[in-house]
């Protein structure tokens, strides 16, 4: 299936319409790594795709020994990157589960990131993986001037990544996540960072979505009129600005940016801009992501409700 069409069921797999990645995921689950090598080597200069592909592959490989076996048999930059990503995924999963082994896994992941960075110094992806682990160390680098709260954080590591790739999508999202309350941050810091990072990005950049990510993170269903937040003029204007300046460019993306489209579609739907939300949901086709819908309940039910409200077809009986 292709984005822009809908044949009656959602496709939740993060590979979406990246068919080469989907095939590599199938091979990884079967214990084979050759196609993983090919899809990663193909992205040595396409850092955004490389980050996405390596993360999806790592999620598939995290419950097996494939990454370790590949690195031992063929120690390439791609093998080292997948090993670093797998170690990162395992550490984050353990930490989120409040497992006592998380500390040891963080140290293993940090070492793996350093090894991958040495093999391909121009690749920001190992540093991005290390940035995802920064919340366990609570770095206290001073913030740059011009911010309201100037929250300390892993600014030096983030700056190093930006020197390699100024608009690295995952790096910006990982950095913002450092300031989430559930990761030890604060609401004031989260909003300050989201605003600072989004406003320095080009108007047609997906990074303009960062405040919408922070808005979902801030959602409290018990708060009075919580679902009316997106109807406030500032948030309606933010969503419409992204729709006007970024959304038209997504048709030229190498693969459908499902997660970013989902955040935009959700914001437009919550702002009761059904016409614009319909266009974004249509562009997603059958591909779906659990966020941001899962922050509001069952993701499939919430997505289906949005599609139905916009006059789009919804899944039939399985």
């Amino acid at each position: 299936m292709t984005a822009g069409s809908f044949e009656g069921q959602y496709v939740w797999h993060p590979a979406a319409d990246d068919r080469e990645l989907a095939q590599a995921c199938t091979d990884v689950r079967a214990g084979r790594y050759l196609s993983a090598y090919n899809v990663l080597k193909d992205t040595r200069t396409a850092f955004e795709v490389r980050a996405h592909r390596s993360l999806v592959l790592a999620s598939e490989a995290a419950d097996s020994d494939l990454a370790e076996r590949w690195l031992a048999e063929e120690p390439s930059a791609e093998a080292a990157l997948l090993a670093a990503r797998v170690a990162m995924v395992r550490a984050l999963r353990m930490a989120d589960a409040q497992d006592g082994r998380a500390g040891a896994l963080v140290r293993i992941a940090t070492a793996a990131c350093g090894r991958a960075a040495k093999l391909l110094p121009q690749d920001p992806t190992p540093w991005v993986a290390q940035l995802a682990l920064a919340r366990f160390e609570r770095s206290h680098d001073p913030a740059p001037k011009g911010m309201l709260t100037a929250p300390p954080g892993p600014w030096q590591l983030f700056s190093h990544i930006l020197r390699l790739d100024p608009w690295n999508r995952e790096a910006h999202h990982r950095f913002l996540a450092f300031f989430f309350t559930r990761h030890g941050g604060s609401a004031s810091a989260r909003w300050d960072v989201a605003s600072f990072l989004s406003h320095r990005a080009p108007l047609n950049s997906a990074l303009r979505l960062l405040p919408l990510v922070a808005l979902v993170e801030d959602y409290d269903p018990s708060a009075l009129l919580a679902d009316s937040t997106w109807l406030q003029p500032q948030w309606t204007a933010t969503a419409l600005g992204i729709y006007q300046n970024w959304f038209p460019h997504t048709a030229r993306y190498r693969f459908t940016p499902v997660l970013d489209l989902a955040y935009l579609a959700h914001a437009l739907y919550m702002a009761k801009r059904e016409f614009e939300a319909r266009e974004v949901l249509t562009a997603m086709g059958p591909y779906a992501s659990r966020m941001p819908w899962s922050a509001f309940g069952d993701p499939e039910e919430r997505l289906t409700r949005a599609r139905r409200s916009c006059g789009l077809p919804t899944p039939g009986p399985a």
Side-chain angles (χ1 to χ4, degrees):
M1 287 182 286
T2 60
S5 65
F6 187 80
E7 298 180 9
Q9 297 296 329
Y10 299 130
V11 177
W12 295 97
H13 196 280
D17 54 350
D18 185 344
R19 295 181 180 179
E20 293 177 349
L21 175 58
Q23 181 59 55
C25 288
T26 299
D27 289 346
V28 164
R29 289 193 295 271
R32 300 186 294 268
Y33 54 73
L34 178 59
S35 57
Y37 171 75
N38 290 332
V39 299
L40 290 178
K41 187 178 180 182
D42 184 48
T43 62
R44 283 195 173 189
T45 57
F47 297 136
E48 185 166 331
V49 180
R50 187 174 180 84
H52 174 66
R53 283 181 167 181
S54 61
L55 182 58
V56 173
L57 289 168
S59 297
E60 297 284 359
D63 295 325
S64 71
D65 67 346
L66 180 135
E68 291 84 357
R69 180 164 49 82
W70 180 12
L71 186 62
E73 293 175 1
E74 296 183 8
S76 64
E78 282 65 39
L81 176 60
L82 185 64
R85 289 296 232 173
V86 163
M88 179 206 77
V89 168
R90 289 171 179 165
L92 295 179
R93 286 178 179 176
M94 285 291 184
D96 290 341
Q98 298 183 329
D99 191 296
R101 294 168 291 178
L105 291 178
V106 168
R107 291 189 291 273
I108 291 171
T110 300
C113 291
R115 179 173 58 238
K118 289 180 180 178
L119 288 176
L120 200 64
Q122 70 271 27
D123 180 11
T125 317
W127 299 102
V128 174
Q130 189 168 327
L131 184 60
L133 304 169
R135 60 182 165 101
F136 302 112
E137 300 175 356
R138 302 310 303 174
S139 302
H140 294 288
D141 305 331
K145 296 180 180 180
M147 302 185 69
L148 292 175
T149 62
W155 289 97
Q156 291 186 19
L157 176 55
F158 184 53
S159 296
H160 176 72
I161 295 170
L162 298 191
R163 286 193 291 271
L164 296 172
D165 185 19
W167 309 117
N168 188 285
R169 181 198 175 280
E170 186 182 341
H172 282 77
H173 282 263
R174 295 289 187 188
F175 188 71
L176 176 60
F178 177 89
F179 299 96
F180 287 174
T181 304
R182 57 191 167 98
H183 295 161
S186 67
S188 60
R190 177 171 66 254
W191 286 113
D192 200 5
V193 170
S195 176
F196 176 77
L197 295 182
S198 65
H199 282 96
R200 66 181 289 274
L203 282 174
N204 62 357
S205 170
L207 299 178
R208 289 279 173 161
L209 285 151
L210 289 170
L212 299 183
V213 174
L215 192 61
V216 171
E217 180 68 21
D218 209 40
Y219 178 72
D220 179 4
S222 65
L224 185 64
L225 301 176
D227 288 352
S228 298
T229 301
W230 286 262
L231 289 168
Q232 295 177 12
Q234 70 178 100
W235 294 117
T236 300
T238 297
L240 288 174
I242 297 166
Y243 169 79
Q244 293 162 359
N245 296 305
W246 171 71
F247 175 62
H249 295 273
T250 61
R252 298 196 295 268
Y253 273 44
R254 185 170 174 178
F255 305 109
T256 304
V258 177
L259 184 58
D260 289 332
L261 288 171
Y263 271 97
L264 177 57
H266 171 265
L268 292 167
Y269 161 69
M270 295 291 282
K272 300 189 183 304
R273 302 297 301 231
E274 284 86 358
F275 174 82
E276 293 85 354
R278 177 188 174 95
E279 285 200 36
V280 179
L281 289 166
T282 298
M284 293 171 63
Y287 302 108
S289 63
R290 286 174 173 77
M291 285 296 288
W293 314 104
S294 61
F296 302 84
D298 178 78
E300 181 166 358
E301 188 276 331
R302 291 287 172 163
L303 174 56
T304 296
R305 183 185 300 184
R307 289 182 63 90
R308 187 178 295 120
S309 177
C310 294
L312 292 172
T314 57

Short mmCIF file of all heavy atoms in Angstrom, two decimals, residues 6 10 269 273-282 302-315:
data_model
loop_
_atom_site.label_atom_id
_atom_site.label_comp_id
_atom_site.label_asym_id
_atom_site.label_seq_id
_atom_site.Cartn_x
_atom_site.Cartn_y
_atom_site.Cartn_z
N PHE A 6 -6.23 4.15 1.18
CA PHE A 6 -6.65 3.47 2.41
C PHE A 6 -7.50 2.28 2.01
O PHE A 6 -8.54 2.44 1.37
CB PHE A 6 -7.45 4.42 3.30
CG PHE A 6 -7.77 3.82 4.65
CD1 PHE A 6 -6.82 3.81 5.65
CD2 PHE A 6 -9.01 3.26 4.91
CE1 PHE A 6 -7.10 3.24 6.90
CE2 PHE A 6 -9.31 2.69 6.14
CZ PHE A 6 -8.34 2.69 7.14
N TYR A 10 -5.38 -0.22 9.26
CA TYR A 10 -4.19 0.57 9.55
C TYR A 10 -2.94 -0.30 9.47
O TYR A 10 -2.98 -1.51 9.73
CB TYR A 10 -4.27 1.16 10.95
CG TYR A 10 -5.43 2.10 11.17
CD1 TYR A 10 -6.28 1.94 12.26
CD2 TYR A 10 -5.68 3.15 10.29
CE1 TYR A 10 -7.34 2.80 12.47
CE2 TYR A 10 -6.74 4.02 10.49
CZ TYR A 10 -7.58 3.83 11.58
OH TYR A 10 -8.63 4.67 11.79
N TYR A 269 -7.22 18.39 14.11
CA TYR A 269 -8.50 17.77 14.50
C TYR A 269 -8.99 18.35 15.83
O TYR A 269 -10.17 18.69 15.97
CB TYR A 269 -8.31 16.26 14.58
CG TYR A 269 -9.36 15.54 15.37
CD1 TYR A 269 -10.67 15.45 14.91
CD2 TYR A 269 -9.03 14.92 16.59
CE1 TYR A 269 -11.65 14.77 15.66
CE2 TYR A 269 -9.99 14.25 17.32
CZ TYR A 269 -11.29 14.18 16.86
OH TYR A 269 -12.24 13.52 17.60
N ARG A 273 -10.33 21.93 12.90
CA ARG A 273 -10.02 22.29 11.52
C ARG A 273 -10.08 21.02 10.69
O ARG A 273 -9.06 20.49 10.24
CB ARG A 273 -8.65 22.98 11.44
CG ARG A 273 -8.51 24.22 12.28
CD ARG A 273 -9.47 25.32 11.85
NE ARG A 273 -9.26 25.72 10.48
CZ ARG A 273 -9.10 26.98 10.08
NH1 ARG A 273 -9.14 27.97 10.94
NH2 ARG A 273 -8.93 27.26 8.79
N GLU A 274 -11.30 20.51 10.49
CA GLU A 274 -11.48 19.21 9.86
C GLU A 274 -11.01 19.17 8.42
O GLU A 274 -10.50 18.14 7.96
CB GLU A 274 -12.95 18.77 9.93
CG GLU A 274 -13.39 18.26 11.29
CD GLU A 274 -13.85 19.37 12.21
OE1 GLU A 274 -13.79 20.55 11.80
OE2 GLU A 274 -14.27 19.06 13.34
N PHE A 275 -11.15 20.28 7.69
CA PHE A 275 -10.72 20.28 6.29
C PHE A 275 -9.23 20.02 6.20
O PHE A 275 -8.76 19.16 5.44
CB PHE A 275 -11.07 21.61 5.61
CG PHE A 275 -10.54 21.72 4.21
CD1 PHE A 275 -11.22 21.14 3.14
CD2 PHE A 275 -9.33 22.37 3.95
CE1 PHE A 275 -10.71 21.23 1.84
CE2 PHE A 275 -8.82 22.46 2.67
CZ PHE A 275 -9.51 21.89 1.61
N GLU A 276 -8.44 20.77 6.99
CA GLU A 276 -6.98 20.60 6.95
C GLU A 276 -6.58 19.24 7.53
O GLU A 276 -5.68 18.58 7.01
CB GLU A 276 -6.31 21.73 7.73
CG GLU A 276 -6.44 23.11 7.09
CD GLU A 276 -7.74 23.82 7.47
OE1 GLU A 276 -8.60 23.20 8.16
OE2 GLU A 276 -7.89 25.00 7.09
N ALA A 277 -7.25 18.83 8.61
CA ALA A 277 -6.93 17.53 9.20
C ALA A 277 -7.20 16.40 8.22
O ALA A 277 -6.45 15.42 8.15
CB ALA A 277 -7.75 17.32 10.48
N ARG A 278 -8.27 16.54 7.45
CA ARG A 278 -8.60 15.52 6.46
C ARG A 278 -7.47 15.38 5.44
O ARG A 278 -7.09 14.26 5.07
CB ARG A 278 -9.90 15.90 5.76
CG ARG A 278 -10.31 14.94 4.64
CD ARG A 278 -11.49 15.48 3.85
NE ARG A 278 -11.79 14.63 2.71
CZ ARG A 278 -12.69 13.65 2.70
NH1 ARG A 278 -13.40 13.41 3.79
NH2 ARG A 278 -12.89 12.93 1.62
N GLU A 279 -6.92 16.49 4.98
CA GLU A 279 -5.83 16.43 4.01
C GLU A 279 -4.62 15.72 4.58
O GLU A 279 -3.97 14.92 3.89
CB GLU A 279 -5.47 17.84 3.55
CG GLU A 279 -6.46 18.47 2.59
CD GLU A 279 -5.84 19.61 1.81
OE1 GLU A 279 -4.64 19.53 1.46
OE2 GLU A 279 -6.54 20.59 1.57
N VAL A 280 -4.29 16.03 5.82
CA VAL A 280 -3.11 15.41 6.43
C VAL A 280 -3.34 13.92 6.65
O VAL A 280 -2.47 13.09 6.35
CB VAL A 280 -2.77 16.12 7.75
CG1 VAL A 280 -1.56 15.45 8.41
CG2 VAL A 280 -2.48 17.60 7.51
N LEU A 281 -4.51 13.56 7.16
CA LEU A 281 -4.82 12.14 7.36
C LEU A 281 -4.84 11.38 6.04
O LEU A 281 -4.39 10.23 5.96
CB LEU A 281 -6.17 12.01 8.07
CG LEU A 281 -6.19 12.42 9.54
CD1 LEU A 281 -7.63 12.57 10.03
CD2 LEU A 281 -5.43 11.42 10.40
N THR A 282 -5.33 12.02 5.00
CA THR A 282 -5.34 11.39 3.67
C THR A 282 -3.92 11.13 3.19
O THR A 282 -3.62 10.08 2.62
CB THR A 282 -6.09 12.27 2.67
OG1 THR A 282 -7.45 12.41 3.09
CG2 THR A 282 -6.07 11.66 1.28
N ARG A 302 -8.92 6.34 18.91
CA ARG A 302 -8.79 7.79 18.78
C ARG A 302 -8.53 8.20 17.33
O ARG A 302 -9.07 9.20 16.84
CB ARG A 302 -7.67 8.30 19.69
CG ARG A 302 -8.00 8.19 21.16
CD ARG A 302 -9.02 9.22 21.57
NE ARG A 302 -9.50 9.03 22.93
CZ ARG A 302 -10.12 9.97 23.64
NH1 ARG A 302 -10.36 11.16 23.10
NH2 ARG A 302 -10.54 9.71 24.86
N LEU A 303 -7.68 7.45 16.65
CA LEU A 303 -7.42 7.75 15.25
C LEU A 303 -8.68 7.53 14.42
O LEU A 303 -9.00 8.35 13.53
CB LEU A 303 -6.28 6.87 14.73
CG LEU A 303 -5.97 6.96 13.24
CD1 LEU A 303 -5.66 8.39 12.81
CD2 LEU A 303 -4.79 6.04 12.89
N THR A 304 -9.39 6.46 14.70
CA THR A 304 -10.62 6.18 13.97
C THR A 304 -11.65 7.29 14.20
O THR A 304 -12.35 7.72 13.26
CB THR A 304 -11.20 4.82 14.39
OG1 THR A 304 -10.27 3.80 14.02
CG2 THR A 304 -12.54 4.54 13.74
N ARG A 305 -11.74 7.77 15.42
CA ARG A 305 -12.67 8.86 15.72
C ARG A 305 -12.31 10.10 14.91
O ARG A 305 -13.20 10.78 14.37
CB ARG A 305 -12.64 9.17 17.21
CG ARG A 305 -13.62 10.25 17.63
CD ARG A 305 -13.47 10.61 19.09
NE ARG A 305 -13.70 9.46 19.98
CZ ARG A 305 -13.69 9.56 21.32
NH1 ARG A 305 -13.45 10.74 21.89
NH2 ARG A 305 -13.92 8.50 22.05
N ALA A 306 -11.02 10.40 14.80
CA ALA A 306 -10.59 11.58 14.04
C ALA A 306 -10.90 11.41 12.56
O ALA A 306 -11.40 12.34 11.91
CB ALA A 306 -9.10 11.82 14.26
N ARG A 307 -10.60 10.25 12.02
CA ARG A 307 -10.89 10.01 10.60
C ARG A 307 -12.38 10.10 10.32
O ARG A 307 -12.80 10.70 9.33
CB ARG A 307 -10.34 8.63 10.18
CG ARG A 307 -8.83 8.54 10.10
CD ARG A 307 -8.40 7.17 9.61
NE ARG A 307 -8.88 6.90 8.27
CZ ARG A 307 -8.21 7.20 7.15
NH1 ARG A 307 -7.02 7.79 7.22
NH2 ARG A 307 -8.73 6.91 5.97
N ARG A 308 -13.18 9.52 11.18
CA ARG A 308 -14.64 9.56 10.98
C ARG A 308 -15.14 11.01 11.04
O ARG A 308 -16.01 11.41 10.25
CB ARG A 308 -15.32 8.70 12.04
CG ARG A 308 -16.82 8.54 11.81
CD ARG A 308 -17.43 7.64 12.87
NE ARG A 308 -16.93 6.27 12.79
CZ ARG A 308 -16.27 5.66 13.77
NH1 ARG A 308 -16.03 6.30 14.90
NH2 ARG A 308 -15.86 4.42 13.62
N SER A 309 -14.61 11.78 11.97
CA SER A 309 -15.02 13.18 12.09
C SER A 309 -14.67 13.98 10.84
O SER A 309 -15.37 14.93 10.47
CB SER A 309 -14.33 13.82 13.31
OG SER A 309 -14.64 15.19 13.41
N CYS A 310 -13.60 13.56 10.16
CA CYS A 310 -13.16 14.26 8.95
C CYS A 310 -13.78 13.66 7.68
O CYS A 310 -13.42 14.07 6.56
CB CYS A 310 -11.64 14.21 8.86
SG CYS A 310 -10.81 15.14 10.16
N GLY A 311 -14.69 12.72 7.85
CA GLY A 311 -15.36 12.13 6.70
C GLY A 311 -14.51 11.15 5.91
O GLY A 311 -14.77 10.92 4.72
N LEU A 312 -13.53 10.53 6.55
CA LEU A 312 -12.65 9.57 5.90
C LEU A 312 -13.05 8.15 6.27
O LEU A 312 -13.64 7.91 7.32
CB LEU A 312 -11.19 9.81 6.30
CG LEU A 312 -10.57 11.11 5.79
CD1 LEU A 312 -9.21 11.32 6.42
CD2 LEU A 312 -10.45 11.09 4.28
N PRO A 313 -12.75 7.16 5.39
CA PRO A 313 -13.07 5.77 5.71
C PRO A 313 -12.29 5.29 6.94
O PRO A 313 -11.18 5.75 7.21
CB PRO A 313 -12.66 5.01 4.44
CG PRO A 313 -11.67 5.91 3.75
CD PRO A 313 -12.11 7.31 4.07
N THR A 314 -12.88 4.37 7.65
CA THR A 314 -12.26 3.80 8.85
C THR A 314 -12.21 2.29 8.71
O THR A 314 -12.90 1.71 7.86
CB THR A 314 -13.07 4.20 10.10
OG1 THR A 314 -14.42 3.76 9.94
CG2 THR A 314 -13.04 5.70 10.31
N PRO A 315 -11.40 1.63 9.51
CA PRO A 315 -11.25 0.18 9.37
C PRO A 315 -12.56 -0.56 9.57
O PRO A 315 -13.38 -0.21 10.43
CB PRO A 315 -10.24 -0.19 10.46
CG PRO A 315 -9.48 1.07 10.71
CD PRO A 315 -10.47 2.17 10.52
#
